Amino acid sequence: MKKVIFVGWISLMAVLLGFSPEMGSNRGQAVNDVVKVYGPGGPLGPIKEVAEQFTKETGIKVEVTAGPEEKWIDQAKQDADIIYGGSEYMLTEFMHDHPEVLNEKNRTELYTRSAGILVRKGNPKNIQSLEDLTKKGVKIVDVNGAGQLGLWEDLAGRKGLIPGISRNIDISVKSSAEAIDLWKANSTLDAWVTYESWHYRLADVTDLVQLPEEDKLYRGTPVSITSKSENKKKAKQFIDYLKTEESHQVFQKWGWK
C-alpha cells in the first residue's frame, strides 16, 4: 500500500512540474529548433536554395513554405519565425493586415528584381517590347496582386501605352499561382508582364523578353522576423546569411539584380 502511494506521489509531482516521458532530457531545449519561413511563391527558388546551403553550413534547419497567403497564413500565425514579401508594398500590406505577426520596425531588404515580359516558347507573336503588347490580337494575362499590383501600368504609363495594353488584357487574376495555371491550360494567352525571375521557374513553357534598362522597373524583396518567434536568434542568423555575397549570387542566378 505504501509503495502504491509513493508511486502515485511521484506521478503527481511529475505532472505539476510539467514533465512527461516524451520530453525525456530535452526539457531545457527550445520547443522548436526549426526556423519556419513563409511567403509568396515568387522568391521561393532562391530562398529555398539559400536555406539548404545555410542548413549544410550551420546545421540549423530552415523550412520554407510558399504560395498564396491564404494557403499558409493560419499556420504562420502559430509558428512563423520569418515572413518575406514579393515586393515592399506586399510586406507592408501583410503588416497592416496582421499587426500581431509582424512589427514595422523589424524589416530587412534583400535584393531587387526587374519586370519583363513572358511569352510563349519561340515567341510566335514576335513580342519584343512594351509597344508590341498593344498590337491587335495579343492576349495578356495580368496578376493584380502578389507583388505585381500595378506593375504593367507603371511600365506602360511612362510611355503612354496604358490604353493599348489595357485593351489587350484578356484576364486578370489575384496570384501568380493562378496565372501559371492559366498559362499552362490556355495556349491562347500570349504574354504576361511580370518579374523576369518567373521565367527561371517556368523556362519550359516561357521565353523571356527583357526590357531595355531605361524601361525597366525594379521592386524589392523584404524579409522580417515575426513578433512571436521563439527562434529570433537563429532567424536573425539566417537573415544575415541571406545578405551575404554567396547568397546574393544565388538570387542573381534566379533573376534578381
Side-chain angles (χ1 to χ4, degrees), residues 10-254:
I10 290 177
S11 299
L12 176 60
M13 290 301 294
V15 171
L16 292 174
L17 291 172
F19 178 83
S20 68
E22 292 77 13
M23 290 171 64
S25 60
N26 295 327
R27 181 174 170 79
Q29 296 183 5
V31 175
N32 181 8
D33 286 330
V34 179
V35 176
K36 301 288 186 71
V37 182
Y38 293 86
L44 173 62
I47 288 180
K48 187 174 181 179
E49 184 173 334
V50 171
E52 290 171 353
Q53 290 182 0
F54 176 76
T55 298
K56 287 180 181 178
E57 293 186 20
T58 66
I60 300 171
K61 186 176 179 181
V62 177
E63 183 179 287
V64 184
T65 301
E69 183 182 312
E70 62 270 18
K71 293 188 176 181
W72 49 258
I73 184 59
D74 290 340
Q75 187 61 40
K77 286 180 178 180
Q78 297 178 43
D79 62 12
D81 297 299
I82 294 172
I83 302 289
Y84 65 85
S87 68
E88 287 290 332
Y89 91 79
M90 195 176 186
L91 192 66
T92 298
E93 189 175 64
F94 184 93
M95 289 177 171
H96 289 166
D97 292 343
H98 310 288
E100 77 283 5
V101 178
L102 290 185
N103 187 312
E104 185 73 43
K105 297 178 181 179
N106 191 10
R107 184 175 184 141
T108 300
E109 171 59 35
L110 298 178
Y111 313 104
T112 59
R113 53 179 172 161
S114 173
I117 305 170
L118 299 192
V119 297
R120 293 288 168 186
K121 296 294 291 184
N123 197 2
K125 290 292 180 73
N126 193 28
I127 295 168
Q128 302 295 337
S129 65
L130 289 169
E131 286 82 357
D132 289 339
L133 295 179
T134 68
K135 292 180 179 178
K136 186 177 180 180
V138 173
K139 292 185 177 182
I140 302 168
V141 58
D142 168 49
V143 175
N144 194 46
Q148 297 161 58
L149 186 63
L151 192 64
W152 74 264
E153 187 175 3
D154 287 346
L155 288 163
R158 296 183 298 191
K159 301 173 77 67
L161 300 174
I162 291 176
I165 292 179
S166 179
R167 280 194 302 269
N168 284 345
I169 292 178
D170 188 66
I171 190 166
S172 184
V173 294
K174 287 290 186 182
S175 72
S176 297
E178 292 175 87
I180 292 168
D181 288 343
L182 282 169
W183 186 265
K184 292 180 177 180
N186 184 357
S187 61
T188 67
L189 295 172
D190 303 303
W192 173 13
V193 179
T194 183
Y195 297 111
E196 290 181 358
S197 59
W198 272 112
H199 168 64
Y200 298 89
R201 295 270 298 278
L202 300 167
D204 58 329
V205 291
T206 67
D207 280 345
L208 172 63
V209 177
Q210 292 184 311
L211 301 175
E213 190 60 41
E214 62 269 21
D215 291 344
K216 284 189 175 182
L217 185 151
Y218 291 88
R219 286 187 178 172
T221 311
V223 61
S224 179
I225 298 175
T226 63
S227 303
K228 297 181 180 180
S229 170
E230 296 182 0
N231 289 325
K232 284 187 170 63
K233 185 176 180 180
K234 292 176 182 176
K236 184 180 184 306
Q237 191 175 344
F238 178 56
I239 289 177
D240 288 343
Y241 189 83
L242 284 165
K243 293 288 290 181
T244 64
E245 182 54 34
E246 182 181 7
S247 296
H248 188 192
Q249 290 174 10
V250 173
F251 274 81
Q252 288 175 318
K253 182 181 74 174
W254 285 89

